[in-house]
Amino acid sequence: MTPPPNARQQILEILRSAARTPVAEIATRLELGEAEVAEHIAELEKSKTVLGYRTVVNHEKLENEPCLGIIEVNITPQRSVGYDEIAAQIYRFPEVILCYLVSGAYDLIVFVEGKNLKDVALFVSQKLATIEHVNRTATHFILRKYKEAGIILADEEKVQRLPITP
């Protein structure tokens, strides 16, 4: 049996959609041996192509739902290091869960998680805004998540609509 030419890519797609898929199931789906699939996965982890496996949590189902803030950050890039040095100062804070360099009016998009709205606001005012070369921020708070990591979080209800007649 000849393995598919893009076995690694197919394995990655399966793991992205369902990280807990057993090696045996991946092997069966791709018509590969379990040892070969396990070897591909080990190589992907060793090369840091796969950095980890995550659980997507619907925080609305929890009693103490964390507050998520999205902060747009405008910074002055520094000679010879550009945005990287300032971005590193920001993404090293434990409150920061995502940090991206983006195009547009702002330079960075930073996702921050706190216990409540006040925690996120204090992070912005006391930690983020005080970093040298941070010029401006705009903070947005997540009110409700509908989809995360490709997974629909909202309980889909059938909407009962009255028929419209002309």
Side-chain angles (χ1 to χ4, degrees):
M1 178 181 332
T2 307
N6 56 352
R8 283 187 179 191
Q9 186 61 38
Q10 290 176 319
I11 291 168
L12 277 173
E13 289 304 315
I14 292 169
L15 292 174
R16 284 186 66 196
S17 66
R20 293 182 61 174
T21 305
V23 170
E25 183 179 328
I26 296 171
T28 300
R29 286 170 60 179
L30 300 180
E31 299 179 350
L32 297 171
E34 286 183 41
E36 183 179 355
V37 170
E39 184 177 312
H40 280 303
I41 292 171
E43 288 174 10
L44 289 165
E45 291 170 348
K46 184 178 179 184
S47 70
K48 297 195 185 270
T49 302
V50 172
L51 297 172
Y53 300 90
R54 292 186 44 183
T55 300
V56 178
V57 176
N58 185 350
H59 289 102
E60 288 183 3
K61 304 284 184 178
L62 301 175
E63 288 180 28
N64 298 320
E65 180 181 352
C67 179
L68 184 64
I70 301 172
I71 301 125
E72 297 172 302
V73 183
N74 180 269
I75 58 179
T76 303
Q78 298 304 293
R79 184 173 297 211
S80 77
V81 293
Y83 297 102
D84 296 343
E85 189 174 294
I86 300 160
Q89 289 178 46
I90 294 169
Y91 68 64
R92 285 193 176 100
F93 286 114
E95 299 91 341
V96 174
I97 58 174
L98 296 169
C99 183
Y100 299 116
L101 178 64
V102 295
S103 63
Y106 288 87
D107 304 305
L108 298 175
I109 299 292
V110 180
F111 285 63
V112 176
E113 190 173 82
K115 288 183 270 183
N116 52 45
L117 191 103
K118 185 177 180 179
D119 278 354
V120 174
L122 287 173
F123 170 81
V124 174
S125 66
Q126 294 178 354
K127 293 182 179 179
L128 185 59
T130 62
I131 295 174
E132 189 176 2
H133 307 297
V134 169
N135 303 319
R136 182 173 75 235
T137 64
T139 303
H140 310 275
F141 293 97
I142 299 295
L143 302 176
R144 183 170 186 196
K145 293 180 185 179
Y146 294 102
K147 188 174 187 177
E148 185 172 333
I151 298 171
I152 296 172
L153 302 175
D155 293 329
E156 295 191 55
E157 301 172 6
K158 280 211 164 187
V159 177
Q160 296 293 331
R161 295 185 179 208
L162 297 174
I164 299 175
T165 58

PDB file of all heavy atoms in Angstrom, residues 49-76:
ATOM      1  N   THR A  49       6.135  22.009  14.282  1.00  0.00           N
ATOM      2  CA  THR A  49       5.025  22.311  13.386  1.00  0.00           C
ATOM      3  C   THR A  49       3.735  22.205  14.187  1.00  0.00           C
ATOM      4  O   THR A  49       2.858  23.048  14.087  1.00  0.00           O
ATOM      5  CB  THR A  49       4.999  21.330  12.189  1.00  0.00           C
ATOM      6  OG1 THR A  49       6.246  21.432  11.501  1.00  0.00           O
ATOM      7  CG2 THR A  49       3.863  21.638  11.238  1.00  0.00           C
ATOM      8  N   VAL A  50       3.636  21.181  15.017  1.00  0.00           N
ATOM      9  CA  VAL A  50       2.547  21.044  15.981  1.00  0.00           C
ATOM     10  C   VAL A  50       3.120  21.478  17.324  1.00  0.00           C
ATOM     11  O   VAL A  50       4.034  20.859  17.845  1.00  0.00           O
ATOM     12  CB  VAL A  50       2.014  19.590  16.058  1.00  0.00           C
ATOM     13  CG1 VAL A  50       1.024  19.438  17.198  1.00  0.00           C
ATOM     14  CG2 VAL A  50       1.373  19.186  14.734  1.00  0.00           C
ATOM     15  N   LEU A  51       2.559  22.570  17.850  1.00  0.00           N
ATOM     16  CA  LEU A  51       3.082  23.150  19.090  1.00  0.00           C
ATOM     17  C   LEU A  51       2.328  22.686  20.325  1.00  0.00           C
ATOM     18  O   LEU A  51       2.814  22.842  21.439  1.00  0.00           O
ATOM     19  CB  LEU A  51       3.026  24.673  19.011  1.00  0.00           C
ATOM     20  CG  LEU A  51       3.891  25.292  17.905  1.00  0.00           C
ATOM     21  CD1 LEU A  51       3.614  26.774  17.779  1.00  0.00           C
ATOM     22  CD2 LEU A  51       5.357  25.036  18.178  1.00  0.00           C
ATOM     23  N   GLY A  52       1.141  22.180  20.134  1.00  0.00           N
ATOM     24  CA  GLY A  52       0.358  21.730  21.275  1.00  0.00           C
ATOM     25  C   GLY A  52      -1.042  21.350  20.842  1.00  0.00           C
ATOM     26  O   GLY A  52      -1.401  21.477  19.672  1.00  0.00           O
ATOM     27  N   TYR A  53      -1.812  20.888  21.791  1.00  0.00           N
ATOM     28  CA  TYR A  53      -3.187  20.480  21.539  1.00  0.00           C
ATOM     29  C   TYR A  53      -4.066  21.236  22.518  1.00  0.00           C
ATOM     30  O   TYR A  53      -3.732  21.350  23.696  1.00  0.00           O
ATOM     31  CB  TYR A  53      -3.338  18.967  21.739  1.00  0.00           C
ATOM     32  CG  TYR A  53      -2.443  18.178  20.801  1.00  0.00           C
ATOM     33  CD1 TYR A  53      -1.143  17.832  21.170  1.00  0.00           C
ATOM     34  CD2 TYR A  53      -2.881  17.804  19.547  1.00  0.00           C
ATOM     35  CE1 TYR A  53      -0.315  17.130  20.318  1.00  0.00           C
ATOM     36  CE2 TYR A  53      -2.059  17.101  18.681  1.00  0.00           C
ATOM     37  CZ  TYR A  53      -0.778  16.764  19.075  1.00  0.00           C
ATOM     38  OH  TYR A  53       0.038  16.075  18.222  1.00  0.00           O
ATOM     39  N   ARG A  54      -5.186  21.776  22.035  1.00  0.00           N
ATOM     40  CA  ARG A  54      -6.024  22.615  22.874  1.00  0.00           C
ATOM     41  C   ARG A  54      -7.440  22.073  22.970  1.00  0.00           C
ATOM     42  O   ARG A  54      -7.928  21.426  22.056  1.00  0.00           O
ATOM     43  CB  ARG A  54      -6.131  24.018  22.274  1.00  0.00           C
ATOM     44  CG  ARG A  54      -4.835  24.768  22.312  1.00  0.00           C
ATOM     45  CD  ARG A  54      -5.004  26.174  21.864  1.00  0.00           C
ATOM     46  NE  ARG A  54      -6.202  26.747  22.459  1.00  0.00           N
ATOM     47  CZ  ARG A  54      -6.638  27.946  22.206  1.00  0.00           C
ATOM     48  NH1 ARG A  54      -6.009  28.700  21.370  1.00  0.00           N
ATOM     49  NH2 ARG A  54      -7.725  28.414  22.774  1.00  0.00           N
ATOM     50  N   THR A  55      -8.065  22.442  24.051  1.00  0.00           N
ATOM     51  CA  THR A  55      -9.478  22.179  24.243  1.00  0.00           C
ATOM     52  C   THR A  55     -10.207  23.496  24.045  1.00  0.00           C
ATOM     53  O   THR A  55      -9.821  24.512  24.619  1.00  0.00           O
ATOM     54  CB  THR A  55      -9.735  21.650  25.668  1.00  0.00           C
ATOM     55  OG1 THR A  55      -8.997  20.435  25.829  1.00  0.00           O
ATOM     56  CG2 THR A  55     -11.203  21.402  25.910  1.00  0.00           C
ATOM     57  N   VAL A  56     -11.239  23.499  23.223  1.00  0.00           N
ATOM     58  CA  VAL A  56     -12.042  24.696  23.027  1.00  0.00           C
ATOM     59  C   VAL A  56     -13.162  24.651  24.053  1.00  0.00           C
ATOM     60  O   VAL A  56     -13.939  23.703  24.098  1.00  0.00           O
ATOM     61  CB  VAL A  56     -12.617  24.769  21.592  1.00  0.00           C
ATOM     62  CG1 VAL A  56     -13.491  26.004  21.429  1.00  0.00           C
ATOM     63  CG2 VAL A  56     -11.479  24.765  20.582  1.00  0.00           C
ATOM     64  N   VAL A  57     -13.217  25.683  24.905  1.00  0.00           N
ATOM     65  CA  VAL A  57     -14.177  25.727  26.002  1.00  0.00           C
ATOM     66  C   VAL A  57     -15.231  26.789  25.714  1.00  0.00           C
ATOM     67  O   VAL A  57     -14.904  27.918  25.350  1.00  0.00           O
ATOM     68  CB  VAL A  57     -13.462  26.060  27.339  1.00  0.00           C
ATOM     69  CG1 VAL A  57     -14.461  26.198  28.471  1.00  0.00           C
ATOM     70  CG2 VAL A  57     -12.413  25.002  27.656  1.00  0.00           C
ATOM     71  N   ASN A  58     -16.484  26.429  25.885  1.00  0.00           N
ATOM     72  CA  ASN A  58     -17.563  27.398  25.807  1.00  0.00           C
ATOM     73  C   ASN A  58     -17.701  28.013  27.200  1.00  0.00           C
ATOM     74  O   ASN A  58     -18.351  27.447  28.074  1.00  0.00           O
ATOM     75  CB  ASN A  58     -18.867  26.730  25.364  1.00  0.00           C
ATOM     76  CG  ASN A  58     -19.972  27.732  25.156  1.00  0.00           C
ATOM     77  OD1 ASN A  58     -19.852  28.899  25.513  1.00  0.00           O
ATOM     78  ND2 ASN A  58     -21.068  27.274  24.572  1.00  0.00           N
ATOM     79  N   HIS A  59     -17.073  29.171  27.407  1.00  0.00           N
ATOM     80  CA  HIS A  59     -17.031  29.796  28.726  1.00  0.00           C
ATOM     81  C   HIS A  59     -18.401  30.206  29.240  1.00  0.00           C
ATOM     82  O   HIS A  59     -18.587  30.390  30.435  1.00  0.00           O
ATOM     83  CB  HIS A  59     -16.065  30.991  28.717  1.00  0.00           C
ATOM     84  CG  HIS A  59     -14.641  30.581  28.636  1.00  0.00           C
ATOM     85  ND1 HIS A  59     -13.915  30.639  27.468  1.00  0.00           N
ATOM     86  CD2 HIS A  59     -13.809  30.074  29.566  1.00  0.00           C
ATOM     87  CE1 HIS A  59     -12.690  30.201  27.694  1.00  0.00           C
ATOM     88  NE2 HIS A  59     -12.600  29.850  28.955  1.00  0.00           N
ATOM     89  N   GLU A  60     -19.371  30.365  28.352  1.00  0.00           N
ATOM     90  CA  GLU A  60     -20.724  30.719  28.785  1.00  0.00           C
ATOM     91  C   GLU A  60     -21.349  29.618  29.635  1.00  0.00           C
ATOM     92  O   GLU A  60     -22.275  29.859  30.386  1.00  0.00           O
ATOM     93  CB  GLU A  60     -21.614  31.028  27.587  1.00  0.00           C
ATOM     94  CG  GLU A  60     -21.267  32.337  26.917  1.00  0.00           C
ATOM     95  CD  GLU A  60     -22.204  32.684  25.776  1.00  0.00           C
ATOM     96  OE1 GLU A  60     -23.173  31.947  25.528  1.00  0.00           O
ATOM     97  OE2 GLU A  60     -21.958  33.711  25.132  1.00  0.00           O
ATOM     98  N   LYS A  61     -20.830  28.414  29.528  1.00  0.00           N
ATOM     99  CA  LYS A  61     -21.349  27.289  30.305  1.00  0.00           C
ATOM    100  C   LYS A  61     -20.726  27.213  31.700  1.00  0.00           C
ATOM    101  O   LYS A  61     -21.127  26.398  32.510  1.00  0.00           O
ATOM    102  CB  LYS A  61     -21.090  25.961  29.573  1.00  0.00           C
ATOM    103  CG  LYS A  61     -21.636  25.888  28.161  1.00  0.00           C
ATOM    104  CD  LYS A  61     -23.115  25.678  28.166  1.00  0.00           C
ATOM    105  CE  LYS A  61     -23.598  25.518  26.724  1.00  0.00           C
ATOM    106  NZ  LYS A  61     -24.999  25.263  26.649  1.00  0.00           N
ATOM    107  N   LEU A  62     -19.750  28.063  31.978  1.00  0.00           N
ATOM    108  CA  LEU A  62     -19.072  28.066  33.269  1.00  0.00           C
ATOM    109  C   LEU A  62     -19.692  29.101  34.204  1.00  0.00           C
ATOM    110  O   LEU A  62     -20.256  30.101  33.765  1.00  0.00           O
ATOM    111  CB  LEU A  62     -17.581  28.388  33.094  1.00  0.00           C
ATOM    112  CG  LEU A  62     -16.777  27.453  32.205  1.00  0.00           C
ATOM    113  CD1 LEU A  62     -15.364  27.988  32.045  1.00  0.00           C
ATOM    114  CD2 LEU A  62     -16.765  26.055  32.771  1.00  0.00           C
ATOM    115  N   GLU A  63     -19.540  28.876  35.489  1.00  0.00           N
ATOM    116  CA  GLU A  63     -20.050  29.823  36.479  1.00  0.00           C
ATOM    117  C   GLU A  63     -19.253  31.123  36.468  1.00  0.00           C
ATOM    118  O   GLU A  63     -19.810  32.202  36.539  1.00  0.00           O
ATOM    119  CB  GLU A  63     -20.016  29.211  37.880  1.00  0.00           C
ATOM    120  CG  GLU A  63     -21.059  28.149  38.092  1.00  0.00           C
ATOM    121  CD  GLU A  63     -20.999  27.558  39.491  1.00  0.00           C
ATOM    122  OE1 GLU A  63     -20.572  28.269  40.430  1.00  0.00           O
ATOM    123  OE2 GLU A  63     -21.381  26.391  39.627  1.00  0.00           O
ATOM    124  N   ASN A  64     -17.943  31.016  36.428  1.00  0.00           N
ATOM    125  CA  ASN A  64     -17.076  32.200  36.444  1.00  0.00           C
ATOM    126  C   ASN A  64     -16.461  32.403  35.069  1.00  0.00           C
ATOM    127  O   ASN A  64     -15.308  32.062  34.835  1.00  0.00           O
ATOM    128  CB  ASN A  64     -15.976  32.044  37.500  1.00  0.00           C
ATOM    129  CG  ASN A  64     -16.549  31.928  38.888  1.00  0.00           C
ATOM    130  OD1 ASN A  64     -17.492  32.618  39.221  1.00  0.00           O
ATOM    131  ND2 ASN A  64     -15.994  31.038  39.687  1.00  0.00           N
ATOM    132  N   GLU A  65     -17.239  32.965  34.187  1.00  0.00           N
ATOM    133  CA  GLU A  65     -16.782  33.178  32.819  1.00  0.00           C
ATOM    134  C   GLU A  65     -15.718  34.272  32.785  1.00  0.00           C
ATOM    135  O   GLU A  65     -15.935  35.373  33.302  1.00  0.00           O
ATOM    136  CB  GLU A  65     -17.977  33.586  31.954  1.00  0.00           C
ATOM    137  CG  GLU A  65     -17.640  33.832  30.520  1.00  0.00           C
ATOM    138  CD  GLU A  65     -18.861  34.255  29.713  1.00  0.00           C
ATOM    139  OE1 GLU A  65     -19.983  34.220  30.228  1.00  0.00           O
ATOM    140  OE2 GLU A  65     -18.658  34.631  28.556  1.00  0.00           O
ATOM    141  N   PRO A  66     -14.530  33.994  32.215  1.00  0.00           N
ATOM    142  CA  PRO A  66     -13.498  35.028  32.147  1.00  0.00           C
ATOM    143  C   PRO A  66     -13.894  36.133  31.168  1.00  0.00           C
ATOM    144  O   PRO A  66     -14.715  35.930  30.279  1.00  0.00           O
ATOM    145  CB  PRO A  66     -12.259  34.279  31.660  1.00  0.00           C
ATOM    146  CG  PRO A  66     -12.782  33.074  30.977  1.00  0.00           C
ATOM    147  CD  PRO A  66     -14.097  32.742  31.623  1.00  0.00           C
ATOM    148  N   CYS A  67     -13.279  37.287  31.333  1.00  0.00           N
ATOM    149  CA  CYS A  67     -13.519  38.424  30.448  1.00  0.00           C
ATOM    150  C   CYS A  67     -12.406  38.438  29.402  1.00  0.00           C
ATOM    151  O   CYS A  67     -11.223  38.322  29.732  1.00  0.00           O
ATOM    152  CB  CYS A  67     -13.503  39.717  31.259  1.00  0.00           C
ATOM    153  SG  CYS A  67     -13.757  41.187  30.250  1.00  0.00           S
ATOM    154  N   LEU A  68     -12.782  38.586  28.155  1.00  0.00           N
ATOM    155  CA  LEU A  68     -11.812  38.627  27.065  1.00  0.00           C
ATOM    156  C   LEU A  68     -11.839  40.006  26.434  1.00  0.00           C
ATOM    157  O   LEU A  68     -12.895  40.503  26.039  1.00  0.00           O
ATOM    158  CB  LEU A  68     -12.136  37.558  26.021  1.00  0.00           C
ATOM    159  CG  LEU A  68     -11.165  37.410  24.864  1.00  0.00           C
ATOM    160  CD1 LEU A  68      -9.796  36.944  25.367  1.00  0.00           C
ATOM    161  CD2 LEU A  68     -11.690  36.413  23.859  1.00  0.00           C
ATOM    162  N   GLY A  69     -10.664  40.638  26.391  1.00  0.00           N
ATOM    163  CA  GLY A  69     -10.532  41.942  25.752  1.00  0.00           C
ATOM    164  C   GLY A  69      -9.678  41.827  24.511  1.00  0.00           C
ATOM    165  O   GLY A  69      -8.710  41.068  24.470  1.00  0.00           O
ATOM    166  N   ILE A  70     -10.061  42.574  23.500  1.00  0.00           N
ATOM    167  CA  ILE A  70      -9.263  42.669  22.272  1.00  0.00           C
ATOM    168  C   ILE A  70      -8.743  44.095  22.227  1.00  0.00           C
ATOM    169  O   ILE A  70      -9.528  45.042  22.222  1.00  0.00           O
ATOM    170  CB  ILE A  70     -10.094  42.353  21.021  1.00  0.00           C
ATOM    171  CG1 ILE A  70     -10.674  40.941  21.108  1.00  0.00           C
ATOM    172  CG2 ILE A  70      -9.251  42.526  19.761  1.00  0.00           C
ATOM    173  CD1 ILE A  70     -11.661  40.625  20.004  1.00  0.00           C
ATOM    174  N   ILE A  71      -7.437  44.227  22.224  1.00  0.00           N
ATOM    175  CA  ILE A  71      -6.834  45.550  22.275  1.00  0.00           C
ATOM    176  C   ILE A  71      -6.060  45.801  20.996  1.00  0.00           C
ATOM    177  O   ILE A  71      -5.179  45.019  20.617  1.00  0.00           O
ATOM    178  CB  ILE A  71      -5.901  45.703  23.504  1.00  0.00           C
ATOM    179  CG1 ILE A  71      -6.710  45.455  24.781  1.00  0.00           C
ATOM    180  CG2 ILE A  71      -5.294  47.085  23.550  1.00  0.00           C
ATOM    181  CD1 ILE A  71      -6.138  44.413  25.632  1.00  0.00           C
ATOM    182  N   GLU A  72      -6.414  46.877  20.341  1.00  0.00           N
ATOM    183  CA  GLU A  72      -5.655  47.339  19.187  1.00  0.00           C
ATOM    184  C   GLU A  72      -4.559  48.247  19.739  1.00  0.00           C
ATOM    185  O   GLU A  72      -4.830  49.107  20.575  1.00  0.00           O
ATOM    186  CB  GLU A  72      -6.550  48.114  18.225  1.00  0.00           C
ATOM    187  CG  GLU A  72      -7.669  47.274  17.638  1.00  0.00           C
ATOM    188  CD  GLU A  72      -8.654  48.105  16.847  1.00  0.00           C
ATOM    189  OE1 GLU A  72      -9.230  49.047  17.421  1.00  0.00           O
ATOM    190  OE2 GLU A  72      -8.831  47.814  15.654  1.00  0.00           O
ATOM    191  N   VAL A  73      -3.338  48.045  19.289  1.00  0.00           N
ATOM    192  CA  VAL A  73      -2.197  48.787  19.843  1.00  0.00           C
ATOM    193  C   VAL A  73      -1.426  49.447  18.703  1.00  0.00           C
ATOM    194  O   VAL A  73      -1.040  48.788  17.734  1.00  0.00           O
ATOM    195  CB  VAL A  73      -1.244  47.849  20.627  1.00  0.00           C
ATOM    196  CG1 VAL A  73      -0.112  48.645  21.261  1.00  0.00           C
ATOM    197  CG2 VAL A  73      -1.995  47.053  21.674  1.00  0.00           C
ATOM    198  N   ASN A  74      -1.211  50.748  18.839  1.00  0.00           N
ATOM    199  CA  ASN A  74      -0.401  51.484  17.885  1.00  0.00           C
ATOM    200  C   ASN A  74       0.946  51.739  18.536  1.00  0.00           C
ATOM    201  O   ASN A  74       0.994  52.263  19.657  1.00  0.00           O
ATOM    202  CB  ASN A  74      -1.088  52.807  17.522  1.00  0.00           C
ATOM    203  CG  ASN A  74      -0.274  53.597  16.535  1.00  0.00           C
ATOM    204  OD1 ASN A  74       0.544  54.409  16.938  1.00  0.00           O
ATOM    205  ND2 ASN A  74      -0.488  53.369  15.258  1.00  0.00           N
ATOM    206  N   ILE A  75       2.022  51.325  17.870  1.00  0.00           N
ATOM    207  CA  ILE A  75       3.363  51.482  18.429  1.00  0.00           C
ATOM    208  C   ILE A  75       4.303  52.118  17.416  1.00  0.00           C
ATOM    209  O   ILE A  75       4.028  52.101  16.214  1.00  0.00           O
ATOM    210  CB  ILE A  75       3.949  50.125  18.915  1.00  0.00           C
ATOM    211  CG1 ILE A  75       4.011  49.106  17.772  1.00  0.00           C
ATOM    212  CG2 ILE A  75       3.162  49.580  20.064  1.00  0.00           C
ATOM    213  CD1 ILE A  75       4.586  47.765  18.178  1.00  0.00           C
ATOM    214  N   THR A  76       5.385  52.665  17.927  1.00  0.00           N
ATOM    215  CA  THR A  76       6.438  53.202  17.066  1.00  0.00           C
ATOM    216  C   THR A  76       7.490  52.110  16.906  1.00  0.00           C
ATOM    217  O   THR A  76       8.095  51.694  17.902  1.00  0.00           O
ATOM    218  CB  THR A  76       7.079  54.448  17.710  1.00  0.00           C
ATOM    219  OG1 THR A  76       6.060  55.407  17.959  1.00  0.00           O
ATOM    220  CG2 THR A  76       8.149  55.035  16.797  1.00  0.00           C
TER     221      THR A  76
END
